[in-house]
Amino acid sequence: MPATKRFHDCPQILKDFLYYMLTIRGRSLKTVDAYHTDLRIFLRYMKSVKTDISSDLDFHEIDISDIDIDLIRQITLSDVYGFLNYTMSERENNSKTRSRKVSCIRSFFKYLTAKAGLLSENPVKDLETPSLKKLMPKYLTLEESIALISGVDTAHKERDYCIITFFLNCGMRLSELVGINISDIRDNTVKLLGKGNKERIVYLNESCVYALEQYLKIRKQPVKATEKDALFLSRRGTRLTARRVEQIVEECLKHSGLSCKGYSPHKLRHTAATLMYQHGGVDIRVLKEVLGHANLATTEIYTHVSDKQIEKAAKASPLSKIIINK
């Protein structure tokens, strides 16, 4: 859907922000669609508390197309806290969802203040992010990873084996994998296009090079000239979609006896990072570059210790073998 139709229900001030995020900041359409959804809810809430609209009107029927900078100027930090309370109590948003909304609201007001010059002061500059429960990333063990690679037995075995090998060895994102072109590959490296249109180079180890060579031997020719450079092709000769790759991963997990465990392409990315850190001894700063993270804090989720490490620590106690019979 064209961006103009996506944002048809927005006031001009919000359209300008969304176009700015798309064209200047280079955010993906998926990300900007999420901004659109969150800010539409935010502005509907603000209109409901700042203007005299009918209380009988359904929330989703509130028209925000007439909202201008005059209403925006009335918004205070207290109003934003009220909105976050509304999303928690009325919409049952968890802390992660509310945190995303906070980030979105911050970006919107930063644009209005620093870029558009429509506000002299930013009312949300002191807005804090809701506390998030820190969860360890879900990942396959080394044994499960070997079982997954060994168990690839699909109708397009060479292609799917290469996909699984890339995920488990390179830690690439799903969008990065489906976007790989043959021209992106040089010797033992591949150029990936990550979040925010940021490019990075990832090295292919021996397993990846072998898997790639075997796949390229049987790779069929694309049906369209526009697809001739796409690395991973469907049986129809078109670039694989993200959803199709998800299905391929699901099928491979099933063949390996690893289905119904909540694993996914993103969990394979977690697996690659965890194995590099725990078994490969890769420095956290190097891992950050491999994964294409913007900051080190994001990468630090992979520094969690394994159950075996915890068990080893318990056995390392000088009292571990002291048994006194009473």
Side-chain angles (χ1 to χ4, degrees):
M1 182 188 297
T4 51
K5 291 187 177 180
R6 268 184 167 83
F7 310 147
H8 72 279
D9 55 351
C10 296
Q12 190 60 48
I13 197 170
L14 179 52
K15 285 181 183 178
D16 291 343
F17 167 71
L18 297 173
Y19 291 143
Y20 167 77
M21 297 305 287
L22 268 175
T23 61
I24 305 302
R25 296 302 302 276
R27 296 294 185 264
S28 69
L29 196 54
K30 182 178 179 180
T31 297
V32 175
D33 278 343
Y35 286 155
H36 175 213
T37 299
D38 287 342
L39 288 173
R40 185 172 51 189
I41 295 170
F42 175 68
L43 292 180
R44 280 175 177 159
Y45 172 84
M46 289 303 161
K47 186 170 182 178
S48 71
V49 299
K50 292 290 185 182
T51 64
D52 296 325
I53 61 173
S54 173
S55 58
D56 296 330
L57 190 65
D58 184 80
F59 183 83
H60 295 285
E61 295 177 352
I62 296 176
D63 179 21
I64 60 171
S65 62
D66 59 344
I67 287 181
D68 56 20
I69 193 61
D70 290 332
L71 187 143
I72 300 293
R73 286 195 183 103
Q74 298 176 39
I75 298 174
T76 66
L77 183 58
S78 179
D79 292 327
V80 178
Y81 285 140
F83 167 70
L84 294 174
N85 181 66
Y86 160 77
T87 61
M88 180 177 65
S89 59
E90 300 297 324
R91 303 181 73 89
E92 298 182 345
N93 286 177
N94 58 30
S95 57
K96 184 176 181 179
T97 303
R98 284 181 281 119
S99 180
R100 188 194 69 207
K101 285 180 167 57
V102 165
S103 177
C104 183
I105 292 169
R106 279 176 175 166
S107 296
F108 182 50
F109 278 96
K110 182 178 180 180
Y111 162 80
L112 295 176
T113 308
K115 300 300 178 182
L118 295 174
L119 295 177
S120 57
E121 289 195 20
N122 187 342
V124 301
K125 63 180 183 299
D126 296 322
L127 181 61
E128 297 180 21
T129 302
S131 297
L132 295 176
K133 183 179 180 182
K134 291 187 177 181
L135 299 174
M136 289 198 307
K138 190 178 182 66
Y139 63 96
L140 281 72
T141 64
L142 177 58
E143 293 73 21
E144 288 176 330
S145 300
I146 294 172
L148 177 57
I149 295 174
S150 305
V152 177
D153 187 20
T154 61
H156 304 277
K157 184 175 181 178
E158 291 85 358
R159 181 200 65 189
D160 299 346
Y161 177 82
C162 188
I163 287 173
I164 296 297
T165 301
F166 272 27
F167 273 136
L168 288 176
N169 284 274
C170 302
M172 57 185 64
R173 299 179 177 93
L174 174 58
S175 61
E176 294 170 346
L177 181 130
V178 298
I180 295 175
N181 292 320
I182 292 178
S183 59
D184 293 327
I185 301 170
R186 291 190 178 183
D187 298 324
N188 66 333
T189 67
V190 58
K191 181 175 66 177
L192 301 178
L193 184 63
K195 286 186 175 181
N197 289 326
K198 293 180 180 179
E199 293 182 345
R200 73 180 188 281
I201 299 296
V202 170
Y203 283 83
L204 303 177
N205 59 25
E206 186 178 346
S207 295
C208 292
V209 171
Y210 173 80
L212 179 62
E213 289 175 346
Q214 298 308 304
Y215 167 55
L216 290 178
K217 287 178 182 178
I218 57 88
R219 175 181 173 274
K220 67 185 298 182
Q221 292 300 312
V223 295
K224 296 180 180 179
T226 55
E227 306 283 354
K228 67 179 182 179
D229 200 26
L231 176 59
F232 294 113
L233 299 174
S234 68
R235 60 181 177 79
R236 299 188 305 275
T238 58
R239 185 187 295 272
L240 284 181
T241 64
R243 179 55 193 146
R244 181 66 190 114
V245 173
E246 288 176 335
Q247 292 171 339
I248 290 169
V249 170
E250 289 169 7
E251 185 179 359
C252 292
L253 287 166
K254 183 178 181 180
H255 287 168
S256 305
L258 296 169
S259 59
C260 302
K261 290 192 175 185
Y263 294 142
S264 64
H266 197 66
K267 300 302 184 293
L268 300 190
R269 172 172 160 85
H270 287 327
T271 299
T274 300
L275 294 181
M276 285 181 201
Y277 182 80
Q278 289 190 357
H279 296 272
V282 176
D283 183 85
I284 190 68
R285 292 180 294 275
V286 176
L287 191 58
K288 169 183 174 293
E289 299 303 319
V290 172
L291 297 175
H293 286 158
N295 56 73
L296 194 62
T298 307
T299 317
E300 286 175 347
I301 64 171
Y302 298 108
T303 62
H304 58 82
V305 293
S306 67
D307 290 341
K308 288 185 179 180
Q309 289 172 306
I310 295 173
E311 181 181 4
K312 183 179 178 181
K315 290 181 178 179
S317 169
L319 302 177
S320 64
K321 296 182 179 180
I322 302 299
I323 302 174
I324 299 177
N325 294 321
K326 292 185 178 180

